[in-house]
Structure formats: structure tokens, C-alpha cells
Amino acid sequence: IVASEKTACVIASGDAYCWGDSRYGQLGIGIGVSSVSNTSSAYYRTTPRKVSTIGASVSSSLTVTKISTTANARHVCAVVLVGDAYCWGGNDNGALGWKLNNYYDQYEPVKVDRTNGDLGSQTITDIGVGGWVAAYGSRYGSHTCAVADGRIYCWGNNDEGQMGNNSWQANAPEVGYTVPRAVTLNGIPTNGMEQVGVGYGHSCGRR
């Protein structure tokens, strides 16, 4: 089971289930503030709901093997059996990684982009979601990282260098990497990585 401040998710028999707050689409069932009346009862769910479009009940190839969210996160991501990643919910700074230059929240799972960015045909085996914070009246977005064939790829907010590719971007609305970028060490992509951990302004990998 994984949980953010107001949303929890679990894998059961290869399907993903979430409950709690879906204000930004975190439950992955097609609801959020723009799809329902703006009252908490409209976008909260007090019992587990099966995430749409992915899972063993949809197709064996879409069996959910990993799921991730974290404290203060507005999005959730999952890995499926064929090695793809799907994310849903808040897309601050491109944290869903699904489409070039897209920053719109998604209320159902969208597949992380393989066509643009650096991911290509790599098989994803682990994924980590970072949270967001608000300070001094500003909104600080989140990011996501994944392990694929021993390399780490990240997308989303990069105001603290959390992409790990020797770059930095100011935190502002609609600024961030919207598709996966390879983490590098001395300019060379990481190799032999097995796990990734993601916080607000940092990312870590384990060999």
C-alpha cells in the first residue's frame, strides 16, 4: 500500500485500487475538480475504486506490478507487466511524463512517453513519485523517476537539479521536463541501477 496526504492506493490481484481525494485525478477513475461539482463529496471516495484502463482485469499485459505516490503528491504512477509506466493525477511541471509540453492534469492513467525524451524501448521495473510543497505564496511542483534496464530516467520539476542530468530550471508554471530524461554521471547514463527513491527536491538510486 502507498499513500499521499489524502489518497491511498494498493495492488490486489494485479489491479490498482485507490481511495480518498481525487481533486486532481489521483484516483484514476475519471473524476477531478473540472469533471464534478466543486464540493469535496463529489471528488472524494471513501472506499477503494479500481483504477481505469490498466490492470490484470483489463489485460494480462497490463497487470500492475508496482505503484507509487508519496506525502503531498498530487499524482500516482504504476508499472505494468510489459514494462510500461502509467501515471495519473496532477501534472505540475510535467510530473506525469506522458506528452511533450503537456501540463494538464489527467483523471485516468496515461502512458509515460517513449517516443520523445530518452526512454525509448527500455523496460521499466521500478518507479518513484515525488511530492510538492507550497511556500511564500508559490506553488512548487513534483517530479517522477523510473528504473528501466538498469538506468534511471526522470521527468517533471527540476528546480533543485532533481533530474540528475547536470541541469536546473526555475520553478514556474508550465516549466519542467514533460518527458523522461536520462540521469547521467559525468555525462554518461547510469548503469546497473535496481531501485529509485524520490523526495521533493532530490532523487536517489540504488545499485
Side-chain angles (χ1 to χ4, degrees):
I1 188 169
V2 296
S4 64
E5 183 181 12
K6 295 182 179 179
T7 305
C9 299
V10 68
I11 301 171
S13 300
D15 287 317
Y17 294 82
C18 297
W19 60 96
D21 184 5
S22 195
R23 188 173 323 199
Y24 305 99
Q26 305 98 300
L27 301 190
I29 59 174
I31 63 169
V33 290
S34 68
S35 66
V36 296
S37 61
N38 192 22
T39 62
S40 61
S41 61
Y43 48 77
Y44 276 69
R45 294 295 182 270
T46 58
T47 58
R49 302 299 177 97
K50 191 171 77 67
V51 174
S52 305
T53 72
I54 62 171
S57 62
V58 177
S59 169
S60 60
S61 64
L62 295 176
T63 298
V64 178
T65 59
K66 300 269 186 178
I67 194 164
S68 179
T69 190
T70 193
N72 290 331
R74 290 177 167 177
H75 70 294
V76 181
C77 292
V79 178
V80 299
L81 188 62
V82 292
D84 289 323
Y86 289 81
C87 297
W88 57 94
N91 198 26
D92 298 334
N93 303 90
L96 303 185
W98 79 286
K99 191 174 184 180
L100 193 65
N101 298 323
N102 184 283
Y103 301 93
Y104 294 104
D105 297 348
Q106 299 297 313
Y107 298 162
E108 292 184 314
V110 289
K111 189 165 81 170
V112 172
D113 192 342
R114 292 185 175 278
T115 304
N116 302 288
D118 300 329
L119 182 59
S121 61
Q122 307 293 321
T123 299
I124 297 172
T125 53
D126 193 27
I127 199 161
V129 165
W132 71 279
V133 297
Y136 307 110
S138 298
R139 181 170 155 184
Y140 289 75
S142 55
H143 72 294
T144 308
C145 295
V147 177
D149 289 350
R151 294 182 174 180
I152 295 178
Y153 299 83
C154 297
W155 55 93
N157 189 31
N158 193 36
D159 69 330
E160 304 282 354
Q162 51 267 58
M163 295 296 99
N165 61 0
N166 196 32
S167 68
W168 173 89
Q169 293 171 301
N171 191 325
E174 299 190 358
V175 172
Y177 287 94
T178 58
V179 293
R181 298 297 181 185
V183 172
T184 58
L185 183 61
N186 297 323
I188 301 172
T190 55
N191 285 297
M193 308 304 290
E194 295 182 359
Q195 290 182 310
V196 66
V198 180
Y200 157 64
H202 66 285
S203 312
C204 297
R206 185 184 73 82
R207 283 193 168 98

